[in-house]
Amino acid sequence: MMDSTQDPNATKTSPETPTDIHTDILLFGGGIAGLYLLKLLSNLGYDCMLIEKNQLGGGQSLQSQGIIHGGLKYALGGNLNAESDAIKEMPDRWRKLLAGEETIDLSNTKVIAKTQHMWSAGKFASKFTSFFASKLVRGRIDKLKKDQMPALFQAPQFTGSVYKLTDLVVDTPSLLNNLCQGLEQRILHGEATAFNSDETGNITSSNITLSNGQSLQVHHQTVIFSAGAGNESLTDLAKITGAPMQRRPLHMLMAKHDLPYPLYAHGLGTGSKPRITITSHATDDGKMVWYLGGEIAENGIDRNSESQIIEGKKELNTLFPWVDFSNTEWATFFVDRAEPLQQGLIKPDSAYTHSEKNAIVAWPTKLTLAPDLGDRILALIEQHGVTPNTYSHDFSSFPHATIAVQKWESLFV
């Protein structure tokens, strides 16, 4: 193509002259939620674009442990509550996705554990036996014999109980790659600077500034905000008032070692939540990171990094006194779980969507519930009367967002 110095009739593009683009649905936020919705809607024939301000998965997605669970870890008080009931079908739903049996084909996603475990030790060893054997959870959890337990618990020093859950763990970088596959050109690196509404209040177009300084005006039938913590500033800019956000802080721990004990398990204590949740992630240098969540992360928000590491060392030495952790490297980081506002800042029970005029605000609230979020979004898209169209686009000259580096690589340098 000739440039404007060669063709005097050519139109010069500048930040003051936005490029007009038409699409059916414009999404904001390139975490797992936004990318899941982009892939789902695109596969159903909608013309979609996604705008990511930073890096894909760089917020909550790559800070996730990748756990796909059916809610039993929320039922340790001996009852299946609203939260555990809303999530109980998700592992089977994810297995269908991972087998390529749904609208989204996630068969290229790496599954790092096909099952998870719960364990209890000492005086708590039999506390949950009657509940786990009840009709409420039968078929979803099995008590293991010693030789069936993960290698770590086969040590003679361990005298507790181990239960196998019908849950799984996915590799989040692999999942992000799978969701982006085939849609890379539709994922632009930039941010919203203004939303333009008609006389009814519907957002008819969005002004976008790309990371190279280029301006776009994107015309759309609906806009979806699925940017995690970024939803707060986006909804303020769009003057959406019905979806306030809360931040639930956690102080996560990572322990890097070369011990031969991959573990995907929830340690049970005295309360109704896991004392500690451990997932294992291979690193580029051939070692392994134990990623530690659960109560230790929730209770660690008032500790600095040094104090949280001291607490982590004490916890692992208490739980596994027969294991030598002396050569372990440690790192911590703070993360805010961004969610729809709940009374008392409690965790939401299910995925969340809010429709206001022709805009939708969405939070999956946890990775496991992404398919549930997709179902809710499809119902709202139908209510909004969004119709699929085919537009001719060439996004090759625009900057595209790239996938962030996972925490277990970036923290140990």
Side-chain angles (χ1 to χ4, degrees):
M1 180 182 292
M2 297 176 63
D3 63 26
S4 57
T5 61
Q6 297 169 307
D7 182 357
N9 297 314
T11 301
K12 183 178 180 182
T13 301
S14 71
E16 292 75 31
T17 308
T19 299
D20 280 302
I21 291 178
H22 291 263
T23 191
D24 296 328
I25 302 168
L26 179 63
L27 300 102
F28 288 92
I32 286 170
L35 293 172
Y36 183 96
L37 296 175
L38 176 69
K39 200 168 191 74
L40 175 66
L41 295 167
S42 297
N43 286 357
L44 291 171
Y46 294 99
D47 190 282
C48 303
M49 292 172 53
L50 184 144
I51 307 298
E52 167 57 43
K53 183 178 179 180
N54 298 305
Q55 287 186 295
L56 303 174
Q60 294 180 72
S61 293
L62 286 176
Q63 296 168 352
S64 159
Q65 291 181 277
I67 292 172
I68 308 297
H69 67 88
L72 285 180
K73 71 173 186 173
Y74 297 141
L76 300 182
N79 293 292
L80 294 176
N81 53 27
E83 189 172 18
S84 60
D85 189 59
I87 204 172
K88 66 181 180 181
E89 305 299 331
M90 287 299 106
D92 285 342
R93 185 77 181 275
W94 274 90
R95 287 189 176 92
K96 290 181 180 179
L97 289 162
L98 293 163
E101 296 172 0
E102 290 219 4
T103 305
I104 291 180
D105 181 356
L106 295 182
S107 57
N108 290 330
T109 298
K110 181 180 179 182
V111 177
I112 56 177
K114 293 183 178 180
T115 59
Q116 295 175 42
H117 296 87
M118 284 185 174
W119 89 91
S120 55
K123 61 183 178 181
F124 309 122
S126 60
K127 177 181 177 182
F128 304 99
T129 300
S130 60
F131 173 59
F132 288 162
S134 71
K135 292 181 181 179
L136 288 173
V137 297
R138 198 173 296 160
R140 296 168 60 192
I141 189 166
D142 294 312
K143 187 175 182 180
L144 300 180
K145 297 178 180 178
K146 189 75 170 181
D147 62 356
Q148 298 172 319
M149 296 178 184
L152 181 67
F153 300 111
Q154 292 188 24
Q157 295 92 329
F158 178 74
T159 58
S161 301
V162 178
Y163 303 85
K164 183 175 75 173
L165 303 174
T166 57
D167 295 347
L168 60 153
V169 183
V170 297
D171 178 68
T172 47
S174 169
L175 175 58
L176 286 165
N177 273 295
N178 203 165
L179 290 171
C180 291
Q181 195 170 37
L183 295 170
E184 294 87 352
Q185 294 296 306
R186 297 285 179 145
I187 303 169
L188 305 187
H189 190 208
E191 61 181 308
T193 54
F195 296 105
N196 309 304
S197 303
D198 61 17
E199 62 278 1
T200 68
N202 285 332
I203 302 173
T204 55
S205 67
S206 302
N207 291 358
I208 308 297
T209 298
L210 299 177
S211 58
N212 65 355
Q214 188 171 357
S215 295
L216 307 179
Q217 184 168 27
V218 183
H219 305 265
H220 43 70
Q221 297 180 59
T222 191
V223 58
I224 299 175
F225 301 111
S226 55
N231 278 356
E232 190 169 49
S233 59
L234 285 166
T235 53
D236 284 347
L237 187 63
K239 296 182 172 57
I240 292 173
T241 59
M245 191 185 85
Q246 69 183 27
R247 287 178 167 85
R248 191 165 47 82
L250 300 170
H251 192 176
M252 306 297 290
L253 273 157
M254 288 190 174
K256 185 177 181 179
H257 56 74
D258 52 10
L259 300 168
Y261 300 121
L263 194 61
Y264 308 89
H266 311 280
L268 308 182
T270 57
S272 59
K273 297 178 182 179
R275 172 177 176 176
I276 193 169
T277 291
I278 301 174
T279 55
S280 303
H281 307 271
T283 58
D284 289 344
D285 60 3
K287 293 190 176 184
M288 182 188 301
V289 162
W290 275 9
Y291 191 5
L292 313 181
E295 282 192 335
I296 192 170
E298 294 183 17
N299 297 337
I301 58 173
D302 294 325
R303 304 185 193 113
N304 60 24
S305 182
E306 182 181 2
S307 298
Q308 183 72 333
I309 289 172
I310 291 172
E311 191 66 25
K313 289 179 178 179
K314 183 168 65 176
E315 185 77 335
L316 290 190
N317 286 325
T318 299
L319 292 168
F320 312 112
W322 61 91
V323 179
D324 181 6
F325 292 104
S326 60
N327 292 324
T328 299
E329 298 177 67
W330 290 85
T332 80
F333 66 95
F334 289 91
V335 57
D336 283 335
R337 293 291 190 237
E339 304 160 337
L341 181 63
Q342 308 289 295
Q343 186 173 6
L345 299 181
I346 62 172
K347 283 190 295 187
D349 289 337
S350 59
Y352 171 91
T353 56
H354 169 75
S355 178
E356 192 165 323
K357 299 298 184 179
N358 69 328
I360 300 171
V361 185
W363 283 281
T365 70
K366 54 181 68 69
L367 167 64
T368 306
L369 287 166
D372 182 35
L373 180 68
D375 295 343
R376 294 167 186 261
I377 290 292
L378 290 180
L380 289 176
I381 291 293
E382 184 176 351
Q383 288 180 26
H384 286 195
V386 180
T387 55
N389 290 279
T390 302
Y391 299 100
S392 178
H393 297 298
D394 181 6
F395 295 144
S396 59
S397 64
F398 297 150
H400 299 93
T402 57
I403 296 176
V405 175
Q406 54 267 40
K407 284 288 185 180
W408 49 88
E409 296 295 348
S410 62
L411 287 179
F412 296 98
V413 292

